[in-house]
Amino acid sequence: MPEEKWYQDPEKATRAAVFAILLAGGALTWWLAGDQVNTMFALAVSGDVDGLAEYFRSFGAWAIVVSFVLDVLINAGSVFPSIFISTANGLIFGLPLGILISWLAETTGVVISFWLMRYLFRSTAEKMIAKSSMLMKIDDLSGRKGLQWMALARMLPYFPSGILTAIGAVSKISTRDYIIANLIGKFPSTALEVVIGHDLVNFQQHSERLAVLVTLVIIIFIAYKRFAAKKNKD
């Protein structure tokens, strides 16, 4: 029986096509706005919130679009934290709009990352999880109650996004449930990150609210830790 070519395998052909599209899209983006993208990534990764906010403002009416796209890209990459973009969004657009932009952008980004990991980098994600017994237990739980678990886990502010995305990608959770879970879970965690970042920059005006929110984050982590420990015993 002759060996099947890669282009005769639908799954491999789809992966190759998606990979080619990503490369073409990246090359086109770099060609059209390479300097701008490089500057924004450098500011976002360095944590220069004031510099990032001013750079966004320089785009005028396009600031929302630029911030949204950058936030999506960083979350899709699942390598660098997007907390500094969330903070900048709160400073530039105000808390309500800043939260909305960050929430939708982060959710879009992690959904793209999930899809890429599931269809392109499944083996890499499995290796990440195999290194930790804790992650293996979480993976098993996410397979049985994917939507509920993922929504709860995404509610944790400042939790490494890439880990949850990798677990979701190799678990049995459906794409539909993953999207719903992230829309639900990302909203409270993103809102906390935007407000806390905003209040840290404006500490003198919002020190009392900041103290309350930091306390709330600590309580959330303690409650989640106890919940997870109880589930593991069950």
Side-chain angles (χ1 to χ4, degrees):
M1 184 176 180
E3 183 179 352
E4 186 179 45
K5 304 296 184 180
W6 68 268
Y7 51 79
Q8 294 175 323
D9 184 327
E11 185 176 355
K12 290 183 179 179
T14 299
R15 290 181 180 178
V18 171
F19 191 67
I21 292 172
L22 289 173
L23 284 178
L28 180 62
T29 300
W30 192 259
W31 180 61
L32 293 175
D35 291 340
Q36 291 86 345
V37 172
N38 185 53
T39 299
M40 286 186 291
F41 264 101
L43 289 170
V45 174
S46 69
D48 185 358
V49 176
D50 291 329
L52 184 61
E54 287 303 316
Y55 195 71
F56 282 156
R57 289 191 182 99
S58 70
F59 289 94
W62 288 95
I64 291 179
V65 176
V66 172
S67 171
F68 184 88
V69 171
L70 181 64
D71 210 350
V72 168
L73 291 175
I74 286 183
N75 279 276
S78 296
V79 177
F80 302 109
S82 61
I83 179 61
F84 303 117
I85 300 179
S86 299
T87 300
N89 287 340
L91 294 174
I92 301 169
F93 309 116
L95 292 181
L97 184 56
I99 290 171
L100 179 63
I101 295 170
S102 300
W103 169 53
L104 294 177
E106 289 189 23
T107 301
T108 301
V110 296
V111 168
I112 293 174
S113 181
F114 165 84
W115 189 81
L116 290 175
M117 284 187 180
R118 172 160 286 189
Y119 292 101
L120 297 178
F121 309 116
R122 178 182 291 270
S123 59
T124 301
E126 288 175 342
K127 289 177 182 178
M128 291 173 58
I129 293 174
K131 294 179 180 179
S132 171
S133 58
M134 180 191 72
L135 294 182
M136 292 293 291
K137 291 180 181 179
I138 295 175
D139 177 49
D140 178 64
L141 178 60
S142 71
R144 289 184 282 112
K145 295 184 178 180
L147 194 156
Q148 299 95 318
W149 178 87
M150 184 60 68
L152 182 62
R154 285 296 189 194
M155 289 182 185
L156 293 174
Y158 307 110
F159 193 86
S161 179
I163 293 177
L164 295 179
T165 303
I167 293 171
V170 298
S171 73
K172 296 178 182 178
I173 187 172
S174 67
T175 301
R176 171 184 169 274
D177 285 352
Y178 182 82
I179 293 173
I180 294 173
N182 279 273
L183 283 170
I184 295 172
K186 270 287 183 181
F187 185 79
S189 62
T190 302
L192 277 173
E193 290 174 2
V194 172
V195 178
I196 289 176
H198 172 276
D199 289 358
L200 278 172
V201 176
N202 300 283
F203 180 78
Q204 293 183 344
Q205 300 97 312
H206 304 289
S207 58
E208 293 182 1
R209 183 173 66 185
L210 179 62
V212 172
L213 291 176
V214 170
T215 303
L216 178 60
V217 169
I218 294 173
I219 292 173
I220 290 173
F221 270 99
I222 293 174
Y224 181 81
K225 185 176 180 181
R226 291 182 177 178
F227 173 80
K230 182 179 178 181
K231 284 294 181 181
N232 287 334
K233 289 181 181 179
D234 296 339

